[in-house]
């Protein structure tokens, strides 16, 4: 009760409020308008017209008959599932190791901070720099650009998100629980599966979804590290977009948006559980 | 004594498992990020070779070309859309995010921020196309404006730098809102009230209290928008046509079309300089992250 006026900002008058609400509404309209337009147009029975010419499913039909796009979608999905699963697995183990890490029996904050900084650098590195670096790297060590290079690259940019999310979760809970497990004779493996796993599962699942969405959304890195043998969706879309207007892209976008929406909601549910 | 011994055996028990995973944690970004970055930067100092991409021979020629040739104006021009985008996103996001954190319950705030993230997670490539549908010469915006008799001839926005900036603002605004939100959320309203109680004016309160406390979010947000925008070549291709060139497009051309790796790597160094600048500022104010 120390701040009864906490909700009442003196600087905001009623009139300013209306403007603020209206601006906020405009922001959300701006954010969702292009998505909405594409969803609506995916059902529009006209190739070029920006006006409504009747409802149709034909763009979806054409999309499903387009074996090129289907193959690229399947490849994208394989990469996304494989990279997010491996990154989550590797990242969770790493986060646990980081959390447990001691040097000569003492907590080793220096190593921990170095590793976390390294993760931060990877996260904030512009995609283009990472893309070029990996492109050159794979070329020099003679890894053919395709499935393997794509998978390794996607794990690389997803891993820091997983480690950071899971580590943050681990850091928050009582360390004595783990000590207690060890005192009772549990092996590190048992401690992990019986104590730690149930506690960090929400963080792990949400980071898996995050890794999945990052992988599907990536354009720049994929563009550089994939080859003609393994075409994935963003590359396919990019070459289609250069050819001009194609309502099949709207249909594809609608499907992808539906998937993103679903996985975002699941992510949101799990992160809410964490709070 | 016994407890210490106990501790040590416990440590040795988890030692191998732990050390293996700790090394892996370090090794992955070292192998796939730091070493490739080092190679990339090294190549910028090597001589171009049309067979093997580069020769093991030190040179500063690539950097000299950057300044000497007509590269410099192109390069500086390529930064303009990114810079304008950063300013616009900040000007839009700052008051709106502040409004969100002051006027809504924690639960509603979380939801409003979540609504900002959803589009960000949807394919940016496809969303650029959405912008093209709206801004096109016969696009929705022009159709509506002509219908409402606001304009008589369609606006030529598409395939101009303006279209690229609209696209950037649209794609990157969540990256400004998120860091701003995380600093503004922690900003204690009582500090602002105290400033008013001490007879500070609105402007003074903003300049002396709100702005300094939200500066970390402003800095992180600005770099989070500016850094990726330099490389988003596909946005320039889809919305800017041939008229708009970003560093990303130049770099892509050098690597995939001209196949001049050293020159491409040199152009990329400019991006890395901005990244380094950000990391230095961030490290300097490292207490920001721990607040």
């Amino acid at each position: 009760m120390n701040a009864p006026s906490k909700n009442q900002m003196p600087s905001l008058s009623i009139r300013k409020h209306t403007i603020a609400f209206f601006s906020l509404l405009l922001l959300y309209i701006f954010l969702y308008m292009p998505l909405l337009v594409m969803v609506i147009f995916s059902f529009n029975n006209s190739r070029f017209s920006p006006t409504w010419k009747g409802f149709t499913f034909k763009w979806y039909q054409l999309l499903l008959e387009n074996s090129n796009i289907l193959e690229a979608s399947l490849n994208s999905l394989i990469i996304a599932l494989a990279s997010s699963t491996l990154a989550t697995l590797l990242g969770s183990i790493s986060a646990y190791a980081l959390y447990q890490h001691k040097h000569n029996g003492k907590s080793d904050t220096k190593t921990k901070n170095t590793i976390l900084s390294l993760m931060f650098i990877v996260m904030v590195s512009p995609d283009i720099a990472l893309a070029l670096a990996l492109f050159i790297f794979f070329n020099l060590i003679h890894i053919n650009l395709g499935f393997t290079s794509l998978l390794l690259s996607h794990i690389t940019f997803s891993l820091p998100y997983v480690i950071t999310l899971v580590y943050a979760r681990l850091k928050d809970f009582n360390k004595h629980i783990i000590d207690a497990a060890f005192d009772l004779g549990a092996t590190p493996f048992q401690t992990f599966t019986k104590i730690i796993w149930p506690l960090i599962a929400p963080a792990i699942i949400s980071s898996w979804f995050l890794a999945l969405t990052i992988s599907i959304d990536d354009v720049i890195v994929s563009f550089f590290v994939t080859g003609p043998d393994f075409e994935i969706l963003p590359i396919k879309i990019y070459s289609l977009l250069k050819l001009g207007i194609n309502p099949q892209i709207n249909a594809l976008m609608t499907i992808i948006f539906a998937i993103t929406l679903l996985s975002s909601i699941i992510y949101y549910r799990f992160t809410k559980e964490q709070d | 004594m016994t407890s210490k011994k106990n501790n040590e055996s416990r440590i040795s028990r988890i030692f191998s498992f732990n050390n293996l995973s700790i090394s892996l944690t370090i090794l992955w970004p070292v192998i796939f990020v730091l070493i490739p970055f080092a190679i990339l930067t090294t190549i910028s100092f090597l001589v171009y070779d049309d067979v093997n991409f580069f020769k093991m021979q030190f040179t500063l020629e690539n950097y000299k070309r950057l300044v000497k040739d007509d590269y410099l104006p192109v390069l500086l021009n390529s930064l303009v859309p990114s810079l304008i985008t950063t300013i616009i996103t900040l000007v839009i996001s700052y008051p709106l995010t502040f409004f969100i954190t002051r006027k809504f319950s924690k639960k509603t705030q979380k939801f409003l921020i979540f609504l900002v993230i959803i589009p960000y997670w949807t394919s940016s490539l496809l969303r650029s196309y959405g912008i093209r549908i709206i801004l096109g010469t016969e696009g929705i915006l022009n159709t509506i404006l002509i219908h409402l008799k606001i304009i008589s001839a369609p606006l030529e926005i598409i395939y101009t730098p303006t279209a690229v900036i609209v696209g950037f603002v649209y794609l990157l605004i969540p990256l400004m809102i998120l860091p701003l939100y995380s600093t503004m959320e922690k900003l204690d309203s009582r500090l602002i009230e105290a400033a008013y109680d001490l007879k500070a004016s609105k402007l003074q309160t903003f300049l002396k209290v709100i702005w300094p406390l939200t500066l970390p979010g402003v800095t992180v947000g600005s770099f989070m928008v500016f850094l990726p925008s330099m490389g988003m070549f596909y946005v320039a291709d889809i919305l800017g046509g041939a008229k708009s060139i970003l560093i990303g497009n130049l770099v892509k051309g050098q690597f995939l079309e001209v196949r001049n790796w050293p020159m491409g790597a040199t152009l990329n160094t400019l991006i890395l300089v901005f990244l380094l600048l950000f990391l230095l500022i961030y490290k300097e104010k490292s207490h920001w992250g721990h607040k």
Side-chain angles (χ1 to χ4, degrees), chain A residues 238, chain B residues 74 77-82 85 157-166 168 229-230 232-250 252:
Chain A
Y238 182 70
Chain B
V74 178
N77 260 329
S78 74
L79 291 176
V80 172
S82 301
T85 303
I157 305 171
I158 197 74
Y159 303 135
T160 64
T162 312
V164 177
I165 291 167
V166 173
F168 275 168
S229 71
M230 285 186 286
M232 294 174 98
F233 58 82
Y234 56 96
V235 178
D237 286 346
I238 293 168
L239 296 172
K243 284 178 210 155
S244 204
I245 295 168
L246 307 169
I247 302 187
N249 299 76
L250 293 171
K252 183 182 136 226

Side-chain angles (χ1 to χ4, degrees), chain A residues 148-268:
Chain A
T148 316
S149 57
L150 211 51
L151 183 66
L152 290 172
S153 307
H154 281 224
I155 292 174
T156 304
F157 61 64
S158 313
L159 202 56
Y161 291 93
V162 179
I163 293 176
T164 315
L165 269 173
V166 177
Y167 179 73
R169 176 69 172 160
L170 278 166
K171 219 177 56 181
D172 280 349
F173 66 69
N174 195 335
K175 225 178 168 152
H176 296 304
I177 307 171
I178 295 163
D179 287 334
F182 277 126
D183 285 341
L184 294 168
T187 62
F189 182 72
Q190 281 175 320
T191 315
F192 186 80
T193 53
K194 304 253 165 170
I195 309 289
I196 304 195
W197 169 253
L199 284 168
I200 54 172
I204 291 178
I205 294 168
S206 52
S207 56
W208 185 77
F209 275 105
L210 186 59
L212 198 69
T213 42
I214 298 172
S215 168
I216 291 176
D217 187 33
D218 173 67
V219 183
I220 299 174
V221 176
S222 301
F223 190 86
F224 277 89
V225 301
T226 194
D229 307 338
F230 197 81
E231 207 165 31
I232 59 167
L233 206 49
I235 317 301
K236 191 83 218 161
I237 298 170
Y238 182 70
S239 50
L240 277 177
L241 287 185
K242 281 184 157 175
L243 297 176
I245 297 218
N246 186 342
Q248 283 179 48
I249 294 170
N250 293 330
L252 187 64
M253 159 73 206
T254 306
I255 295 169
I256 291 178
F257 182 51
I259 296 169
T260 314
L261 206 58
L262 196 71
S263 74
S264 315
I265 290 166
I266 297 170
Y267 173 85
Y268 185 60

Side-chain angles (χ1 to χ4, degrees), chain B residues 22-40:
Chain B
I22 270 283
S23 332
L24 202 65
T25 315
I26 301 174
L27 269 180
W28 194 286
V30 168
I31 294 176
F32 291 104
V33 180
L34 295 189
I35 292 177
F37 270 18
I39 297 174
L40 180 63

